[in-house]
Amino acid sequence: MFIKHININNFRNYGRLELDVGPSVNVIYGDNAQGKTNLIEAINVCSCISSNRTSKDKELIKINENEYDISMLCHDEVYDSEFTLKTRYFCDNNSSKRYMEYDGEVIRKISSYIGVCNTVIFAPEDLNLVKGAPSSRRKFFNMLICKISSKYVDILNRTTKILNQKNACLKSFKGNTSNIDNMALDFWDFSLAELSAELIMYRYRYACLLSEKAYNHHFLISDGKESISVSYCTISGSVELIEAFLKDNDSRTLFIEGKLSEAIYGDLKAKLTDFILKKLKSVRINDVEKGISSTGVQRDDLDIKLDGLSMRLYSSQGQQRSGSLSLKLAELDIIRNEVSSTPILLLDDVFSELDIKRRTNLLNSMRNAQIFITCTDRSFVENELSQTLLKDIEPTYFYVSKGVVTKA
């Protein structure tokens, strides 16, 4: 998969931009605060309806405007075909709305849009993935699975909606346990338990894949001196239930490969649903008193360890950067394997943050992909690429100054 043409209107500091890009390596350079990161961000937003820098779409709109739109002409190498993706976001004082199109056809559901053209972005803030807050790891993990499974997108959105409705119900009791409406809470808890069970099964599977792939990359980065592992943390007892069930049915390998039979999958989901429902009911009084759900998948996290010790607590800055890089490379591997198409790699000013060994590992893993690299020093990247990618590849260079992009 690669992008051929990008069209941007009223996004960040860009008024209007049309750009033909190269199918392999695209280097975007210029001074700081000129729009290089905004261009990378626009590609990512058009690809997966999500910014890596903000959760508020209105912040992406150019000052004094009330909407932005981004479109891309893409080439699918698997089917040797071209298609367009377009997203438009409108916001004024009274309302806001997003519009999505795939090859000229209006798309109603985000799950039908995400994953059509996958990108993986690697920015300086991703170097804090290991030591950052659980919310950053949840966002990373959720986006990884969303790019692969449209069903997961739907389940995640439904879970979020029902959780918000349950929390609104809890708040309505104003902390008074004598006001509890058990019938209403039973409804929300059963719906949450059923959706959460499937969400947890997805996350457990991909956490196992992430751990395996990250281990392989980190082994190379550390010259075999360190061992990284990723464990999935969710509602207490849920992972143990899954692992015991799969062991009893001798089906862990089939589950990780996504080949578990519908009957066994359904049996596991039913058992996990019952287990989660009991957990939710056991903390009901506490939830009413606090006015919010204290237990659930909204608090999930990834426990990343180096040689058995928490990287967040015990690893050095260099080790944390290696761990974050291993996770991002694992993300690339999983998407490439699951969707049979190499994702587009967006490297936003991370070259100067990584040493030569880590840069080489990053680029070597993406030799056949389209890559966008931002930097301030073109010669630095040219010298780096000459040692890794430039033997049979002709990069395309773009100079950015005050929101104007020029092919150099």
Side-chain angles (χ1 to χ4, degrees):
M1 185 76 66
F2 63 87
I3 301 165
K4 298 181 70 174
H5 183 81
I6 303 166
N7 192 321
I8 299 172
N9 291 296
N10 298 329
F11 184 89
R12 295 287 195 182
N13 70 324
Y14 290 104
R16 181 172 178 82
L17 174 64
E18 290 199 38
L19 204 61
D20 290 319
V21 296
S24 54
V25 180
N26 295 272
V27 179
I28 303 160
Y29 69 98
D31 294 335
N32 289 324
Q34 302 301 305
K36 302 187 303 295
T37 291
N38 295 342
L39 178 52
I40 289 285
E41 183 183 26
I43 296 171
N44 195 54
V45 169
C46 190
S47 164
C48 57
I49 313 297
S50 176
S51 167
N52 60 306
R53 300 163 69 194
T54 180
S55 59
K56 299 176 180 178
D57 274 286
K58 64 181 181 181
E59 294 179 1
L60 303 176
I61 302 174
K62 192 175 188 292
I63 295 174
N64 297 324
E65 301 291 342
N66 59 11
E67 67 177 277
Y68 72 76
D69 70 77
I70 313 163
S71 62
M72 302 190 304
L73 174 63
C74 306
H75 181 83
D76 188 336
E77 293 171 301
V78 176
Y79 297 100
D80 191 25
S81 61
E82 293 184 352
F83 62 89
T84 56
L85 282 180
K86 181 176 182 178
T87 180
R88 171 176 167 250
Y89 181 79
F90 171 85
C91 179
D92 62 15
N93 294 328
N94 300 315
S95 63
S96 63
K97 187 172 179 61
R98 177 179 298 285
Y99 302 87
M100 299 171 290
E101 292 182 13
Y102 171 38
D103 225 11
E105 181 179 347
V106 175
I107 301 298
R108 304 293 182 188
K109 296 173 66 177
I110 289 179
S111 58
S112 299
Y113 186 96
I114 295 178
V116 174
C117 174
N118 281 318
T119 55
V120 171
I121 190 166
F122 194 16
E125 53 266 29
D126 291 316
L127 294 170
N128 297 319
L129 191 58
V130 167
K131 70 174 182 179
S135 58
S136 64
R137 287 184 289 277
R138 276 197 302 274
K139 183 176 181 179
F140 157 74
F141 197 37
N142 273 329
M143 187 51 65
L144 163 60
I145 309 174
C146 284
K147 290 173 182 176
I148 296 166
S149 171
S150 60
K151 184 179 179 182
Y152 181 84
V153 180
D154 285 335
I155 296 170
L156 182 62
N157 288 338
R158 288 166 59 200
T159 303
T160 301
K161 182 178 180 180
I162 290 176
L163 179 64
N164 289 337
Q165 290 171 319
K166 179 188 174 182
N167 284 337
C169 182
L170 289 169
K171 285 183 175 66
S172 71
F173 302 138
K174 299 180 179 179
N176 188 344
T177 55
S178 63
N179 290 336
I180 293 179
D181 183 346
N182 282 304
M183 186 175 295
L185 288 175
D186 282 345
F187 173 79
W188 297 126
D189 281 345
F190 180 79
S191 300
L192 269 180
E194 192 171 36
L195 288 168
S196 296
E198 198 152 12
L199 208 66
I200 288 171
M201 289 163 69
Y202 266 100
R203 290 177 176 176
Y204 174 75
R205 180 192 170 214
Y206 281 100
C208 291
L209 290 172
L210 192 65
S211 185
E212 175 192 333
K213 303 295 184 184
Y215 172 88
N216 293 337
H217 284 292
H218 198 84
F219 187 85
L220 293 174
I221 293 171
S222 67
D223 288 328
K225 296 175 183 177
E226 297 172 340
S227 174
I228 195 173
S229 65
V230 180
S231 300
Y232 173 44
C233 304
T234 185
I235 298 170
S236 176
S238 299
V239 168
E240 291 80 1
L241 186 153
I242 292 173
E243 291 178 339
F245 179 92
L246 295 176
K247 182 179 179 181
D248 290 343
N249 288 271
D250 193 25
S251 54
R252 185 180 186 279
T253 300
L254 290 174
F255 180 81
I256 302 303
E257 293 177 349
K259 299 177 181 177
L260 203 62
S261 72
E262 289 186 14
I264 296 179
Y265 185 91
D267 192 14
L268 173 57
K269 180 183 172 183
K271 286 179 168 30
L272 190 55
T273 297
D274 290 342
F275 176 83
I276 295 170
L277 185 57
K278 290 176 183 176
K279 283 279 186 179
L280 295 178
K281 287 184 175 181
S282 72
V283 296
R284 180 171 292 181
I285 297 298
N286 180 64
D287 286 357
V288 170
E289 290 174 343
K290 293 184 176 180
I292 196 166
S293 301
S294 60
T295 298
V297 292
Q298 72 275 13
R299 301 181 185 275
D300 284 2
D301 196 1
L302 295 174
D303 184 15
I304 305 162
K305 293 181 178 179
L306 191 67
D307 295 332
L309 296 175
S310 168
M311 291 195 73
R312 185 176 62 83
L313 298 176
Y314 298 107
S315 57
S316 67
Q317 186 179 60
Q319 287 172 324
Q320 289 172 349
R321 290 190 171 198
S322 292
S324 297
L325 177 57
S326 297
L327 290 172
K328 297 300 290 187
L329 292 175
E331 178 187 6
L332 293 170
D333 284 348
I334 292 171
I335 294 174
R336 184 160 41 198
N337 293 341
E338 294 280 314
V339 303
S340 302
S341 178
T342 301
I344 295 159
L345 181 60
L346 310 175
L347 302 178
D348 184 22
D349 199 26
V350 294
F351 261 52
S352 58
E353 301 288 339
L354 299 171
D355 59 29
I356 187 168
K357 185 175 181 180
R358 294 183 178 93
R359 293 196 297 267
T360 301
N361 271 281
L362 178 58
L363 292 176
N364 280 338
S365 69
M366 292 300 291
R367 283 184 173 275
N368 299 320
Q370 184 180 38
I371 306 175
F372 291 83
I373 302 173
T374 69
C375 62
T376 55
D377 186 352
R378 168 176 170 166
S379 62
F380 172 74
V381 174
E382 280 182 307
N383 293 334
E384 192 66 42
L385 292 175
S386 67
Q387 301 176 37
T388 52
L389 294 177
L390 290 189
K391 293 179 182 178
D392 4 3
I393 291 175
E394 184 65 35
T396 305
Y397 292 91
F398 299 95
Y399 176 69
V400 182
S401 177
K402 297 181 181 178
V404 177
V405 183
T406 307
K407 192 171 183 179

